[in-house]
Amino acid sequence: VKAGLIPEEVEVEPGGIFILKLVILEGGSLVKAGEFNLSYTTNSLELLSITSVNEWEVMKARNVYAFYTIKAQPEKTEVAELKFRYKLDTPANVTLLYLKAAGTGGKELEVILTSSTVQVKAARGSTGRETPSVIIKRERELPFSWIAVIVISAVAAVAAALALSQMKKTSAAYILVDGSGRVVFRTTSNDRVYGREDFTGVLTPDKLVYITRRAKGGQFRIIKGRDGWYIIDAYSTNPTMVNGIPIKGRGYVRLNDGDHISVQGVFDLYFRVSGSG
């Protein structure tokens, strides 16, 4: 299966709206369900909606987007339209972090992302130009009984595919250590938010107050993407830094083994992939 976002480059007026399409370019007839996740430049872009198209249904499931269909699809098929607003006159990116797909019986399919990053920039000579026109398709309203049936079927397919994947390989894991190499956090979770509550017993009370609570979004979040680990800071009061660079508002930032994660004057941690030296 080959999939990606189109177009690969967008020119739009500041304040204007544009639409990207999530497309299965090859192998669409094999796909019955799946999930995907995105990152984008949050200080320049605002995600307004994700709309299902072509007999697909897309729903938010925790921190990812699940999609499924109950009808046969062609080899090339559009799955969803992503509607964004361009807030600032600065270059921005939208990245498809990963896409998983399952076929009949929940069989996991290999997915190749052919166009995973879209570059967004201000339109040349935008002064006086009209905001690009956009046609938005409304999601079809289905009776609750039908929604229940197709959601259960789709979730079962995705769950089966993910279970199969976990049987084939050991769950990914990482640890966060301090400067002496002492393990401060150990997890096998592929998606974890770290907040003040997690640092209780790790930091003294006078430093804990600088860490944002989970109820307010947490200090930072570490998530497993298709090609590695990513960290994001979207809600902190005191910005998280990676290798000395503040990442708040920068979207998903790739983590490498040994990267330094900190809040200045509060804590210093080092990201280590489980099993590394």
Side-chain angles (χ1 to χ4, degrees):
V1 176
K2 293 184 178 180
L5 295 175
I6 59 173
E8 295 185 17
E9 184 174 297
V10 173
E11 291 189 2
V12 61
E13 288 186 344
I17 291 173
F18 65 94
I19 285 181
L20 303 180
K21 295 182 178 181
L22 175 63
V23 180
I24 297 177
L25 300 166
E26 295 181 17
S29 62
L30 303 174
V31 180
K32 302 303 178 185
E35 67 177 49
F36 65 93
N37 209 345
L38 302 163
S39 73
Y40 55 92
T41 311
T42 55
N43 61 338
S44 298
L45 302 176
E46 178 185 4
L47 177 59
L48 300 177
S49 65
I50 295 183
T51 306
S52 311
V53 295
N54 294 337
E55 305 300 335
W56 292 95
E57 295 295 335
V58 179
M59 61 183 179
K60 186 73 176 290
R62 296 188 63 187
N63 296 311
V64 301
Y65 297 92
F67 62 92
Y68 55 91
T69 185
I70 58 175
K71 293 190 176 182
Q73 297 291 324
E75 286 297 295
K76 181 176 180 180
T77 174
E78 295 178 8
V79 176
E81 293 180 342
L82 289 61
K83 181 181 177 184
F84 285 88
R85 174 178 287 116
Y86 185 43
K87 298 187 293 184
L88 298 175
D89 186 5
T90 56
N93 291 321
V94 179
T95 300
L96 181 62
L97 290 175
Y98 66 85
L99 185 145
K100 297 179 181 179
T104 304
K107 180 180 179 181
E108 184 179 15
L109 304 173
E110 181 181 358
V111 178
I112 299 172
L113 296 183
T114 60
S115 53
S116 58
T117 298
V118 178
Q119 297 181 344
V120 183
K121 57 185 178 180
R124 298 183 182 91
S126 60
T127 303
R129 290 180 57 182
E130 296 180 356
T131 300
S133 59
V134 177
I135 299 176
I136 303 298
K137 292 186 178 180
R138 299 180 63 85
E139 290 189 289
R140 294 175 290 108
E141 296 183 359
L142 298 175
F144 179 79
S145 58
W146 267 104
I147 294 175
V149 170
I150 59 180
V151 167
I152 290 172
S153 300
V155 170
V158 175
L162 296 180
L164 179 62
S165 175
Q166 292 303 315
M167 291 174 61
K168 292 180 179 178
K169 58 184 179 182
T170 303
S171 297
Y174 65 88
I175 57 177
L176 299 177
V177 304
D178 62 18
S180 68
R182 178 178 64 94
V183 176
V184 179
F185 297 105
R186 183 192 302 274
T187 182
T188 57
S189 173
N190 285 346
D191 187 354
R192 179 173 174 180
V193 174
Y194 291 84
R196 184 181 302 177
E197 300 84 346
D198 299 282
F199 286 86
T200 301
V202 176
L203 301 176
T204 56
D206 60 310
K207 291 187 175 182
L208 276 176
V209 297
Y210 293 99
I211 305 299
T212 302
R213 297 180 185 274
R214 273 197 241 115
K216 294 185 176 181
Q219 181 65 36
F220 61 87
R221 171 185 169 202
I222 295 179
I223 184 171
K224 183 71 164 61
R226 182 177 179 83
D227 58 347
W229 292 95
Y230 290 81
I231 184 172
I232 183 172
D233 176 357
Y235 303 103
S236 72
T237 301
N238 299 286
T240 305
M241 296 188 293
V242 174
N243 298 327
I245 300 174
I247 64 167
K248 183 176 180 180
R250 292 184 55 199
Y252 289 88
V253 175
R254 178 72 180 269
L255 278 174
N256 296 304
D257 186 66
D259 277 352
H260 178 208
I261 303 171
S262 66
V263 169
Q264 190 170 10
V266 179
F267 69 79
D268 292 277
L269 296 173
Y270 297 85
F271 176 81
R272 300 303 307 269
V273 177
S274 182
S276 60

